[in-house]
Amino acid sequence: MILSGTVIADADTVIEDGAVVVDDSRIAAVGRRAALRDRYPDREEQSYDILLPGLVGGHLHSVQSLGRGIADDSELLEWLFEYVLPMEASLSPEEMEIAAKLGYLEMIESGTTTCIDHLSVNHAERAFEAAGEIGIRGVLGKVLMDRRSPAGLLEETEEALAESERLIEEYHGAFDDRIRYAVTPRFAVSCSEECLRGARELADEYDGVRIHTHASENRSEVETVEEDTGMRNIHWLDEVGLTGDDVVLAHCVWTSESERELLAETGTHVTYCPSSNMKLASGIAPITDYLERGINVAIGNDGPPCNNTLDPFTEMRQGSLLQKVDGLDPVAAPAETLFEMATINGAKATGFDRLGALREGWRADIVGLDTDLTRATPLHDPLSHLVFGAHGDDVAFTMVDGNVLLEDGEVTVVDADAIRKRARAIDLSLEEHRDDAADARP
């Protein structure tokens, strides 16, 4: 297959009237359309206005998709313990599967081809199966919670780690290696020292398994961890082994100078979630500072209840504007930087190689956008348009591993209408779980 259009191969490479040639799951060539048509005269060609690498969601909660809009205008710990945790505890296996499918559908419909997905305590295997069926690439993990957690989510430490290991054995490298595993403690507030150290030990037993957790999202969280441990959050995570180049920490809004030095020294990845941080009034992550220190920063939407969209283009726009206004610096976080966060930086955080750019021999994860829109007229700078003007619903084509998941704006791999219909029919009966969650709140 030949895909043609304006090719944004990476943040530094834009090819007008370009093309990408796909062989099976890999990119065979990238260049000028005319030259590639001459080299591959018999290939089927499809044209889109802009072609770009599939975007990488560096921190997502697919299984919270059924909770979109249930917890608006709430502070983080109230949002989590009084709304989101009760919702997660209430979901049956089938509902968890529908929630995950709904999240993955939104991702492929809006240009996210790879995600680092923080699931829930229960029924995680249903999300793994959903990801495999839909064809998205992802690093997924069952959540670990062994203290300060409501009934229905609280687990014994050994049982939680044993279940994680069972899932690693079954799903790490599954679906032609599109799906990999991350050991996933929820955060230090709801995980004991034994659990956190156990997460590190488990990840070390398996090649390529990563660690994914939340850190320093909110001042109350930081204060709670310091009261528990006598240490700042990042220092505590380092103490129990949860820093390093196989660790992805979501948020990192409230960090000290010494914590930032530690993140840089250990090669720990940070995921920036600007819309979620704004909506929950958590604060503004010091992303410009992180990048200057050489810390790899990805970008993510977080979950639908705290966003309320999984649109990656919205996240790039918000992410740039927030850094500019925070530093009163109009040149901070330019389009190129945000595009790198959403592509090559996100790919580094996932651990997948040859991902995050359109290059010969790299994975064929490709997105095609339409720009026949008033909002895209005139289009002086394609990269600027992607970051500041594009929307997820501009996506017309999504390919993962050479497989077409979205064509002409329509999902090709599952019955999307049936999934949406089932999701609308699910009644989230949360009241019986809220008292338990409130009791567990720190």
Side-chain angles (χ1 to χ4, degrees), residues 95-118:
E95 290 166 346
M96 192 70 76
E97 180 178 332
I98 291 295
K101 285 182 176 179
L102 195 65
Y104 299 141
L105 281 179
E106 186 177 357
M107 291 178 212
I108 65 172
E109 288 172 343
S110 54
T112 297
T113 57
T114 301
C115 63
I116 305 177
D117 196 2
H118 197 284

Side-chain angles (χ1 to χ4, degrees), residues 26 56-58 114-117 137-140 172-173 177-182 206-212 244-248 267-269 271 296 298 343-356 362-363 365:
R26 298 285 172 161
V56 180
T114 301
C115 63
I116 305 177
D117 196 2
R137 188 186 305 282
V139 181
L140 282 59
H172 184 56
D177 197 32
R178 284 194 302 275
I179 299 301
R180 295 182 183 174
Y181 200 90
Y206 294 88
D207 184 43
V209 167
R210 300 180 89 69
I211 294 171
H212 177 208
D245 62 6
D246 62 349
V247 176
V248 181
T268 303
H269 306 274
T271 298
N296 184 57
T343 53
I344 198 74
N345 290 12
K348 291 175 183 175
T350 68
F352 283 102
D353 64 355
R354 299 195 170 195
L355 183 72
W362 284 40
R363 300 172 192 269
D365 290 14

Side-chain angles (χ1 to χ4, degrees), residues 9-20:
D10 55 44
D12 300 315
T13 309
V14 178
I15 306 170
E16 302 284 352
D17 196 18
V20 180

